[in-house]
Amino acid sequence: MLPENRAALDAWLQVQTQWRIGGMGTPTGLDYAGIEAWMRCTGRAGNPRRTRRLLQDLQLMERVTLNEWADRAQRESARTRR
């Protein structure tokens, strides 16, 4: 792992409980109020530039995760229709 990615991975692992769940019980995205609170409580909200970068990294991981979950659900749905 590249050293510049370590902070984003550490953050990602610590905010994994901060998912918003939609009406059908599916995750719809991260709860940014929870992430903001975590950033403040852990001192990661002090430097605006670093905070913005960390949030962008988390949003990228969020999108990739949601896309992967959607792909898996679609594959599972196709498998059960056979």
Side-chain angles (χ1 to χ4, degrees), residues 7-20:
L9 177 61
D10 288 344
W12 179 250
L13 293 173
Q14 292 182 43
V15 301
Q16 282 299 293
T17 59
Q18 298 303 314
W19 287 98
R20 289 206 176 254

